[in-house]
Amino acid sequence: MNLSPIWGCLTIFIVCPLLGGIPLIDWITYAITGRQLRKLGTGNISVSAAFYHGGKLAGILAVLSEAAKGIIAVLLARIFFPVGSVWEIVAIIALVMGRYWIGKSAGTTNAVWGIVAHDPIAAGLTWLISLVSFTIIRDRTTGKYGALVLLVVIIGLRNPDHLEYAVATFALASLLAWIYQNIPDDLDLTDNTTQASTNKMFRFFQGDTSIINLNSRLNANQVGAKAANLSWLKRKGYPVVEGWILRPGDNLEALIAALEPSPQSPLIVRSSAVGEDSATASAAGQYLSILDVTSKEKLRSAIISCQTSYSHSNAVEYRRHNRQSNESIAVLIQKQIEGIYSGVAFSRDPVERLNDTVAVEALPGKATKIVSGRFTPQRYRVAIPDASLSDATISVTAENAQDDQIVIPADIIESAALLAREMEDLFEGIPQDLEWTYDGNKLWLLQVRPITTLQPIWTRRIAAEVIPGKIRPLTWSINQPLTCGVWGKLFTIVLGDRARDLNFEETATLHFASAYFNVTLLGTIFRRMGLPPESLEFLTRGAAFTKPPLITTIKNLSGLWRLFKREWSLGKSFEGDRLKFEPILSVMVEQSANELSPAELIDRINTILGLLDKVTYYNILAPLSLAIRQAIFKVNEAELDHSQTPEVRAVKTLAEVATQTRKLLTAEKITFDSSASLFAHIAENPEGTSIIERFNLWLSEYGYLSEVATDIAVPRWRDKPSIPRQMFTRFFFDAQGAKQAQSSVILQQSWKAKLIQKRLDLKAVVGETYNRLLANLRWSFLALEQQWLDRGLIDNSGDIFLLKLEEIVSLVEQDAPTIGQLSQLIKQRKQQWQQDKKLTSMPKLIYGKPEASALITPAVSNSQRKFQGIGTGVGQVEGVIKIVYSLEQMTKIDSQTILVVPYTDAGWSPILARAGGLISEVGGRLSHGAIVAREYKIPAVMDLTNATNLLQDGQRVRINGQTGIVEILD
């Protein structure tokens, strides 16, 4: 038997990837320059990176090393296979795979020289035609992908009788194309830091120097979100000012030559960095914007200054604080609009987060006056009614109007507010911050970006159904990890490695003791799974849910197949696990929790939690499976039999007992209808004993049920038998109702309905197991609580539900908890619980993490030791005043320092990161200081007139970033 092909395959699929992964380029560059490529620029360890960061010598040696790899891969294949065989192309593919997955680069040089070694004629033709075409067309993307297509065609034509050559080359080209989509291009880097010896080469291969404008389709990963968003909106027909983009690496002089700035037609130069205006970081004011550019010389200077601002210390610190990598910066040049009125608008108020109005700030003149922090804007609150309320009108309320101010027309404020909400709808329900200006004829849209401090978005929808009402700490400390963990497992089945960076523990949280789901996280998951954009709208507003695009479905086929296999075998899997559940539940029935010691109770609790971890998986997937099958087969609910669900069985059985009781007592005249009177009468009746026994038997079987089965703090029917007794009484006196409860219909089901019925029955069995486990969990905690009550550790029944699971376990394990500390903890939790209980009307959506005071309108004090400004950040803090007029006079600043300044701009960002709070004499919610303060999560109060005189160094104050109140404490 000839083993050469076998050893050849092993060599190709093991040695070639390892060869590709050897970081020779990184070693070469480090030896010449002392710099590590993985820590520079794009992080690629590529030939172009070596030229860019290491210079000509490093680049040439990099080419030689990677060319040698390509040639070696082909020579290795020739040891085991004939010269020129298709296995040589397969070896190049294996080499490129190792180059990408291990070596962190595309492997283009490896592939080029590997093809040269395999078929010099095909390589030469491809190179010649591609070079000529690129010189003429000058478009890098077209040249790159065109060369791949050309290579497949030429090798296919040179081997017309051997289709495998074309197939293998197509696989190689597809792999390289996929890598190009998933790796940054070093040719996108700017040339101002390139090695001088390689500038000309980079300029040639960077390609087309034609001017890109806002009518073009732009990629945010290349030109930043600011320019990409404006381009998208302009192409949709929104009033976006005409503009041009200088991408990283583009020819500056070509752009300057094409534009004609003048005093009559001034331009504005703005940054559009990668990572700026993103969902997690706004980068407000971190990079330069230059107005009134009236000549070509000023334009050149402004562009260079804007590019240079990317490396300013405050910008670098901002990216470091927000964990952003150093990417690149594009420059956006637009015609400057001479605004009569300008302002900013938040589609959702970033401070009063539960207020459903649009926050608008405006001033006469240019929009830059608003965000500069040097002027106090006019503030408006615009209430936009639901679209379904046709007779409702939009209302505009001015909050700080003064007699000497120029009045801004209400219709302009209203238009800005409507535009803000429209932007929110366009960007998948994510709150947006926009800048606008009005020139006397049109309201222009200058900038749109997500409100970073209103992330994540939380929805009460679905969560209110899963676990309604107010939730105590013990319940949440159990339910949250169980639910989030299972959802994480399900999403990971589909996403695989793409789920690694997702924190599924953040899927759900409590706001004021009410459960909410993380719409932002779920939206990210939906997009990765290829679900349609309106998935967020489906969660937040109940919008229709359309079918996902076919291409995204194909992309997720492997993950969907894994989920399908789980769904298909769900019933069989549960039956296997059920054999483990039932014996443990039987033991719990036979041995009451009241008979166990605290340590034994903790063991039982841990056992139940271990089972719940498995059952919760079935309890989530079974209803999903039912819903998906029902949607696919379009089976009507009327065709399904729900009689096997525990709740239906319980009611039906109780109605039967009540009906039989009525028959036994028919000869007697009963004139009362209260459950207490009825059961007293039954007890006096000769037949009463058997009736009570049957009722108690029913209660022992269904006593695990309750109004909210998912909340273990809610009493079960066994704990509070008055509830089922009242149900029994209603059935006793309502013969028709009892009859209806007992009725059953024999359905003639189609094969589709039978298929769905199996899932419905599985859901019922799973739900019963889940609820029984939760009930036994509750009874275990109640037994432990009773022992603590007997020992005097706690004072009242129900107090144990105010503790968290880990706290209870810790208390039992140490066996001698400090009663004072425990009582104080329970007291604090009880006070918070009572406050949360009063908040009965919870919003459907919550943005970010609002303070409790957001639900209660605070009273403004007129005391001379209290001052009212504009609250622009969440939370409150106590600290010591430090009045600062400029950055030059800065001394020690820490978390106890409350900065008092005449104004703020972006330069204060690093200082604010260290301070405990901020007070500014001027500014609004949308000024730079306010935005930065919110991102650094420090309380800030703006527009406190004359603050530098009213307050003194060394005074201890309390500032409330929510209410805007500053209080002197001493």
Side-chain angles (χ1 to χ4, degrees):
M1 181 179 179
N2 185 8
L3 296 179
S4 291
I6 297 175
W7 285 110
C9 291
L10 290 174
T11 301
I12 287 173
F13 292 118
I14 296 176
V15 176
C16 287
L18 294 175
L19 176 64
I22 298 174
L24 291 178
I25 294 178
D26 199 25
W27 296 345
I28 291 169
T29 307
Y30 184 77
I32 295 173
T33 67
R35 309 170 78 189
Q36 293 180 300
L37 291 180
R38 65 177 179 273
K39 297 181 179 179
L40 300 172
T42 62
N44 289 351
I45 304 174
S46 64
V47 169
S48 55
F51 274 110
Y52 187 92
H53 298 290
K56 186 178 292 184
L57 177 60
I60 292 173
L61 292 176
V63 170
L64 293 175
S65 67
E66 295 307 308
K69 288 183 182 179
I71 296 170
I72 290 171
V74 172
L75 296 178
L76 282 174
R78 290 180 179 179
I79 295 174
F80 304 96
F81 301 99
V83 174
S85 74
V86 74
W87 283 100
E88 294 177 7
I89 303 176
V90 175
I92 297 171
I93 293 174
L95 181 73
V96 171
M97 292 175 67
R99 187 79 178 92
Y100 175 69
W101 274 292
I102 303 174
K104 306 303 180 187
S105 188
T108 303
T109 305
N110 306 132
V112 167
W113 286 94
I115 294 296
V116 168
H118 167 71
D119 188 340
I121 295 176
L125 286 172
T126 303
W127 179 82
L128 180 61
I129 297 172
S130 298
L131 184 62
V132 172
S133 301
F134 179 71
T135 305
I136 297 171
I137 299 173
R138 304 296 293 133
D139 182 78
R140 192 166 79 240
T141 301
T142 303
K144 187 162 51 178
Y145 293 105
L148 295 177
V149 173
L150 192 61
L151 179 64
V152 176
V153 172
I154 290 176
I155 288 185
L157 291 175
R158 283 182 53 75
N159 300 274
D161 299 326
H162 299 279
L163 182 62
E164 64 270 18
Y165 283 86
V167 172
T169 309
F170 177 77
L172 173 62
S174 299
L175 173 63
L176 287 169
W178 179 82
I179 292 174
Y180 293 155
Q181 293 290 322
N182 289 276
I183 199 168
D185 194 339
D186 294 289
L187 292 173
D188 283 334
L189 295 170
T190 57
D191 63 352
N192 54 2
T193 57
T194 319
Q195 292 285 331
S197 60
T198 60
N199 263 337
K200 290 184 179 179
M201 183 200 70
F202 259 77
R203 178 62 60 206
F204 175 79
F205 285 109
Q206 281 171 336
D208 190 11
T209 57
S210 61
I211 308 303
I212 305 298
N213 59 40
L214 287 179
N215 292 315
S216 307
R217 188 183 298 272
L218 301 178
N219 186 336
N221 292 326
Q222 296 177 350
V223 301
K226 181 188 294 182
N229 287 346
L230 289 177
S231 165
W232 184 62
L233 292 169
K234 186 172 177 61
R235 286 183 285 110
K236 279 186 168 290
Y238 284 94
V240 175
V241 184
E242 186 177 358
W244 304 266
I245 295 91
L246 183 71
R247 298 171 301 184
D250 280 355
N251 192 331
L252 171 61
E253 296 305 322
L255 178 62
I256 293 174
L259 301 179
E260 295 292 340
S262 68
Q264 294 74 33
S265 301
L267 300 176
I268 178 172
V269 175
R270 312 169 68 192
S271 65
S272 185
V274 174
E276 182 180 3
D277 290 356
S278 67
T280 56
S282 66
Q286 301 302 318
Y287 312 115
L288 286 182
S289 292
I290 298 97
L291 287 76
D292 300 316
V293 177
T294 56
S295 67
K296 290 181 181 290
E297 291 74 20
K298 288 184 178 180
L299 179 58
R300 181 183 292 104
S301 175
I303 291 174
I304 293 173
S305 296
C306 186
Q307 290 176 325
T308 306
S309 69
Y310 190 77
S311 300
H312 286 177
S313 58
N314 63 300
V316 173
E317 167 63 21
Y318 181 88
R319 293 196 297 273
R320 186 199 64 76
H321 181 270
N322 286 282
R323 299 179 181 178
Q324 290 184 330
S325 59
N326 292 319
E327 298 285 350
S328 57
I329 184 170
V331 179
L332 171 63
I333 301 97
Q334 290 181 281
K335 290 184 176 180
Q336 183 171 308
I337 302 296
E338 295 301 317
I340 299 174
Y341 307 110
S342 302
V344 288
F346 275 1
S347 65
R348 304 285 164 179
D349 194 318
V351 180
E352 297 183 23
R353 304 183 179 204
L354 300 180
N355 193 316
D356 197 39
T357 57
V358 178
V360 180
E361 294 187 350
L363 277 174
K366 301 174 184 177
T368 51
K369 292 172 67 176
I370 293 284
V371 297
S372 69
R374 296 174 180 269
F375 302 91
T376 299
Q378 299 176 35
R379 299 188 303 277
Y380 300 88
R381 196 170 293 282
V382 183
I384 301 176
D386 192 285
S388 61
L389 303 175
S390 56
D391 56 343
T393 58
I394 298 174
S395 64
V396 178
T397 305
E399 292 194 325
N400 64 337
Q402 298 179 12
D403 294 338
D404 60 345
Q405 287 181 329
I406 298 175
V407 177
I408 299 177
D411 61 329
I412 294 177
I413 301 299
E414 181 179 315
S415 297
L418 287 170
L419 187 59
R421 281 292 169 85
E422 197 167 342
M423 292 300 102
E424 179 178 297
D425 291 338
L426 275 175
F427 288 95
E428 301 178 3
I430 298 173
Q432 297 293 312
D433 157 18
L434 61 88
E435 293 182 18
W436 57 270
T437 191
Y438 177 73
D439 65 359
N441 295 309
K442 184 185 289 188
L443 188 78
W444 292 94
L445 186 56
L446 303 180
Q447 181 171 325
V448 180
R449 61 187 173 198
I451 305 175
T452 58
T453 54
L454 294 188
Q455 300 288 334
I457 305 172
W458 301 94
T459 178
R460 189 88 173 105
R461 182 179 171 83
I462 301 178
E465 300 172 16
V466 174
I467 183 164
K470 298 297 181 180
I471 304 168
R472 294 171 180 82
L474 179 55
T475 298
W476 190 246
S477 68
I478 292 170
N479 285 39
Q480 194 262 357
L482 281 174
T483 304
C484 294
V486 169
W487 277 112
K489 290 175 185 176
L490 292 176
F491 289 137
T492 303
I493 289 172
V494 179
L495 294 174
D497 291 342
R498 289 178 294 158
R500 285 183 178 178
D501 62 329
L502 300 174
N503 184 0
F504 294 111
E505 292 181 4
E506 297 177 353
T507 305
T509 193
L510 287 184
H511 287 297
F512 315 114
S514 297
Y516 283 81
F517 279 140
N518 188 335
V519 176
T520 304
L521 175 61
L522 292 174
T524 300
I525 294 169
F526 290 158
R527 283 187 286 272
R528 292 189 187 183
M529 292 174 65
L531 294 176
E534 62 269 22
S535 302
L536 285 177
E537 292 291 299
F538 169 75
L539 276 180
T540 58
R541 299 173 187 175
F545 195 81
T546 62
K547 294 180 180 179
L550 178 61
I551 189 168
T552 54
T553 302
I554 294 173
K555 195 185 232 181
N556 288 279
L557 271 180
S558 59
L560 293 172
W561 174 249
R562 289 192 296 269
L563 186 62
F564 171 76
K565 289 193 293 184
R566 294 285 188 100
E567 190 276 341
W568 185 258
S569 61
L570 192 64
K572 186 176 180 181
S573 298
F574 177 74
E575 286 304 321
D577 284 336
R578 192 181 181 188
L579 297 176
K580 305 172 186 175
F581 305 149
E582 293 300 331
I584 298 174
L585 283 169
S586 298
V587 170
M588 293 179 187
V589 171
E590 294 170 3
Q591 185 179 26
S592 170
N594 297 322
E595 302 173 7
L596 303 177
S597 68
E600 291 171 330
L601 285 170
I602 292 299
D603 287 341
R604 173 173 285 195
I605 288 168
N606 287 329
T607 298
I608 296 173
L609 290 175
L611 297 178
L612 278 171
D613 186 53
K614 294 183 178 180
V615 179
T616 303
Y617 164 80
Y618 294 109
N619 198 51
I620 288 177
L621 192 53
L624 280 178
S625 171
L626 173 64
I628 292 171
R629 289 190 176 201
Q630 199 165 352
I632 291 174
F633 293 106
K634 294 180 171 48
V635 174
N636 194 287
E637 281 288 340
E639 297 182 62
L640 301 176
D641 178 15
H642 293 264
S643 63
Q644 295 307 306
T645 60
E647 296 84 353
V648 173
R649 288 206 325 267
V651 171
K652 181 178 180 180
T653 307
L654 187 62
E656 290 173 356
V657 176
T659 300
Q660 293 173 3
T661 301
R662 191 186 315 110
K663 291 178 181 178
L664 290 174
L665 304 179
T666 50
E668 303 183 33
K669 187 177 181 180
I670 303 176
T671 58
F672 46 82
D673 60 0
S674 72
S675 61
S677 301
L678 177 60
F679 273 83
H681 184 76
I682 291 173
E684 296 173 356
N685 189 280
E687 302 291 338
T689 302
S690 64
I691 295 172
I692 296 297
E693 286 178 354
R694 289 200 61 187
F695 178 83
N696 288 336
L697 186 63
W698 175 91
L699 190 60
S700 66
E701 183 175 356
Y702 296 105
Y704 66 91
L705 295 171
S706 74
E707 295 179 49
V708 186
T710 51
D711 187 352
I712 63 171
V714 175
R716 269 42 186 172
W717 287 350
R718 194 184 84 173
D719 307 327
K720 204 171 182 179
S722 59
I723 297 174
R725 286 190 175 202
Q726 291 171 2
M727 294 166 56
F728 177 88
T729 302
R730 286 197 294 271
F731 283 138
F732 180 86
F733 288 104
D734 182 6
Q736 186 60 35
K739 182 179 180 181
Q740 185 175 350
Q742 298 173 70
S743 63
S744 59
V745 179
I746 299 176
L747 298 172
Q748 295 296 325
Q749 293 181 319
S750 64
W751 68 269
K752 292 181 180 180
K754 290 178 180 178
L755 188 64
I756 306 301
Q757 186 67 50
K758 290 182 179 179
R759 276 294 177 266
L760 180 60
D761 293 342
L762 174 63
K763 175 178 175 289
V765 177
V766 169
E768 178 177 354
T769 305
Y770 181 72
N771 293 339
R772 284 186 183 277
L773 286 170
L774 285 175
N776 279 280
L777 187 64
R778 168 183 166 80
W779 295 329
S780 298
F781 281 115
L782 288 178
L784 181 61
E785 181 186 60
Q786 186 58 53
Q787 295 185 35
W788 285 1
L789 285 168
D790 295 341
R791 293 169 56 188
L793 293 178
I794 56 178
D795 299 324
N796 303 295
S797 297
D799 282 355
I800 197 168
F801 296 108
L802 296 171
L803 300 173
K804 297 177 182 178
L805 174 63
E806 58 270 23
E807 294 168 345
I808 293 172
V809 172
S810 177
L811 288 169
V812 171
E813 288 178 349
Q814 69 183 16
D815 196 44
T818 304
I819 297 177
Q821 292 179 349
L822 182 59
S823 299
Q824 184 64 25
L825 177 61
I826 291 175
K827 181 180 178 181
Q828 291 174 355
R829 296 260 175 88
K830 188 173 292 186
Q831 289 175 346
Q832 184 63 53
W833 168 251
Q834 294 298 334
Q835 291 177 12
D836 291 338
K837 278 182 66 178
K838 295 176 183 177
L839 306 174
T840 55
S841 180
M842 295 299 299
K844 294 179 181 178
L845 291 176
I846 283 182
Y847 299 90
K849 188 175 181 180
E851 298 291 305
S853 55
L855 295 174
I856 304 172
T857 303
V860 178
S861 172
N862 293 321
S863 168
Q864 293 182 349
R865 300 182 68 81
K866 288 185 179 180
F867 307 94
Q868 179 72 56
I870 301 174
T872 62
V874 297
Q876 69 175 19
V877 68
E878 294 181 9
V880 178
I881 290 291
K882 177 62 181 177
I883 299 174
V884 178
Y885 293 96
S886 66
L887 295 177
E888 286 75 18
Q889 67 176 100
M890 291 310 303
T891 56
K892 181 182 177 182
I893 292 176
D894 55 30
S895 60
Q896 295 298 309
T897 304
I898 306 297
L899 286 177
V900 181
V901 298
Y903 68 93
T904 59
D905 63 18
W908 296 78
S909 302
I911 298 172
L912 292 178
R914 302 196 303 272
L918 171 68
I919 300 171
S920 178
E921 289 187 336
V922 296
R925 292 184 176 95
L926 311 181
S927 61
H928 283 311
I931 293 172
V932 172
R934 285 195 293 270
E935 291 201 358
Y936 285 135
K937 296 178 176 59
I938 66 172
V941 175
M942 314 299 285
D943 194 27
L944 187 56
T945 306
N946 208 26
T948 54
N949 292 321
L950 292 172
L951 303 170
Q952 300 175 12
D953 280 341
Q955 280 183 324
R956 187 165 186 81
V957 299
R958 178 189 298 121
I959 71 171
N960 190 316
Q962 181 73 37
T963 63
I965 292 179
V966 177
E967 181 181 4
I968 300 174
L969 300 179
D970 56 49

